[in-house]
Amino acid sequence: MTDAGHVPVLLEETLAALAIRPGGIYVDATFGRGGHSRAILSRLDASGRVVALDRDPAAEDAARDIRDPRFVFRRAWFSELPAELAALDLAHVDGVLLDLGISSPQIDDPARGFSFRADGPLDMRMDPTRGESAAAFLARADARELTEVLRDYGEERSAQSIARAIVAARAVAPVVRTRQLAAIVAQAVGTRPRGDWSQDPATRTFQALRIFINRELAELALTLPRLPPLLSPGGRLAVISFHSLEDRIVKRFFAFASQPFGGDPRLARLPLPAAALPGAPLARVGRAIRPSAHEVAANPRARSATLRIAERTGHPVPARFAATFAGT
Ligand SMILES: C[S@@+](CC[C@H](N)C(=O)[O-])C[C@H]1O[C@@H](n2cnc3c(N)ncnc32)[C@H](O)[C@@H]1O
């Protein structure tokens, strides 16, 4: 455990994935409490740099503890990385890390509303300065929208019953506390909350709301195709995901970007010999990496982690690359 309360997942594997050069420039797009940033810094010489991003103001506070001229923190959403690098006058970097999801300090702080293990306000925003809180969403969404969110982002089989229960409950009193929501879910699915929170009937509901409120999947799908143009040839992209919905997007993007002509279906239809076609912007590196049993025993949060790695080739990134991926 780091003194700041978040154990970085797949740390050695991530450092290897980034193929760190001592004088390189690396982006940690999900700073959290800086476990990965600190480890990358420790591998750099005086000319290397780490640019860290996080949208959480608490992460920004934690980043102030790193007093190192090679380190810079920007509070931003990672989809804004191109503008953030431009503001720092950086055209290209040697590696980008996305360690997705939430950090332990976010889950552990009842005031953030991410967990039902302690009572707190149903906020759930990683960036409390933007967008709507979970309580505001639960107050305005109709049963159909609630059902869709719980089903699509939580893969919750009882989505409809839970949605109806939320609508019924809010007719009596606004649903604004974490424990209150957990009790509504437990009653709707006919199970009582158990000691083991990972098995709690509300786990999927909380996951679904968190993903939806923070636009986690849209952020990921928007960001990935913006990264290859920022990487120098040979630069690495390392993405750690924590559930199948995220991993599916990463896997699909890596497959898309490692096709010749960057996956543009219009070019694929042209009657050209393979050798005449522009090569792929990215090349996948190895297979998906999962934590060892040893790591999972020491850090249960690691149990669902998957690390995927890709390397920037020397081939150009097609002009409409991001738009084409969005349309696939
Ligand atoms: C799993 S934690 C990262 C932990 C970090 N690697 C460490 O070792 O401390 C994920 C972090 O990413 C941030 N985050 C998630 N989605 C983001 C986004 N779209 N833009 C910026 N930050 C994001 C969260 O606020 C959280 O602090």
Side-chain angles (χ1 to χ4, degrees):
M1 170 86 66
T2 64
D3 53 0
H6 182 94
V7 184
V9 167
L10 289 165
L11 184 59
E12 284 308 317
E13 293 84 348
T14 302
L15 295 172
L18 291 170
I20 294 176
R21 288 191 303 103
I25 306 172
Y26 295 88
V27 173
D28 177 357
T30 48
F31 178 80
R33 288 299 175 273
H36 289 98
S37 280
R38 284 188 178 82
I40 297 168
L41 281 168
S42 74
R43 303 281 175 104
L44 299 180
D45 65 22
S47 64
R49 278 180 88 173
V50 171
V51 177
L53 255 59
D54 203 296
R55 55 178 161 176
D56 188 336
E60 183 173 31
D61 289 344
R64 292 202 184 94
D65 290 344
I66 302 187
R67 294 189 193 85
D68 186 319
R70 302 169 303 167
F71 175 78
V72 57
F73 179 90
R74 314 276 296 185
R75 189 156 81 78
W77 292 39
F78 51 57
S79 55
E80 299 163 337
L81 182 63
E84 293 298 331
L85 290 183
L88 295 168
D89 259 337
L90 293 172
H92 294 103
V93 298
D94 299 293
V96 176
L97 166 65
L98 294 175
D99 176 17
L100 300 168
I102 44 176
S103 66
S104 303
Q106 286 170 328
I107 304 172
D108 293 343
D109 181 355
R112 305 299 300 270
F114 285 110
S115 163
F116 46 83
R117 279 179 282 167
D119 194 35
L122 268 174
D123 189 310
M124 292 199 187
R125 283 172 298 177
M126 293 176 183
D127 176 359
T129 67
R130 285 202 223 170
E132 105 185 303
S133 68
F137 172 65
L138 294 181
R140 73 150 174 88
D142 62 21
R144 209 175 105 194
E145 194 176 359
L146 287 168
T147 304
E148 275 171 17
V149 166
L150 300 180
R151 201 186 43 219
D152 296 351
Y153 300 132
E155 296 173 290
E156 172 58 72
R157 271 177 285 144
S158 308
Q160 201 172 36
S161 320
I162 297 170
R164 286 197 186 129
I166 291 169
V167 171
R170 78 184 180 202
V172 179
V175 181
V176 291
R177 308 287 300 178
T178 53
R179 288 277 207 212
Q180 182 193 6
L181 177 61
I184 294 167
V185 175
Q187 208 177 16
V189 302
T191 5
R192 288 154 55 82
R194 291 204 300 234
D196 176 2
W197 63 270
S198 68
Q199 298 299 317
D200 192 285
T203 300
R204 288 174 179 275
T205 295
F206 274 67
Q207 176 193 300
L209 286 172
R210 190 202 92 208
I211 293 173
F212 172 76
I213 290 297
N214 292 290
R215 293 181 237 153
E216 290 180 36
L217 302 184
E219 266 289 286
L220 181 60
L222 264 180
T223 303
L224 290 171
R226 292 181 184 175
L227 301 179
L230 304 176
L231 287 166
S232 305
R236 291 287 181 92
L237 172 56
V239 187
I240 305 173
S241 62
F242 287 89
H243 53 77
S244 56
L245 298 170
E246 280 172 349
D247 188 48
R248 218 174 289 157
I249 294 173
V250 179
K251 201 171 153 182
R252 205 161 64 78
F253 172 70
F254 278 13
F256 165 82
S258 54
Q259 292 172 68
F261 32 87
D264 189 326
R266 292 162 309 170
L267 287 176
R269 285 194 292 269
L270 293 179
L272 290 173
L277 296 167
L282 288 185
R284 281 171 284 201
V285 176
R287 290 173 173 274
I289 296 174
R290 308 262 305 139
S292 65
H294 179 72
E295 177 171 2
V296 174
N299 180 14
R301 213 185 77 80
R303 72 182 178 284
S304 45
T306 304
L307 167 65
R308 292 189 188 272
I309 310 158
E311 182 171 297
R312 179 78 177 91
T313 64
H315 299 297
V317 179
R320 287 179 39 77
F321 186 65
T324 310
F325 178 61
T328 59

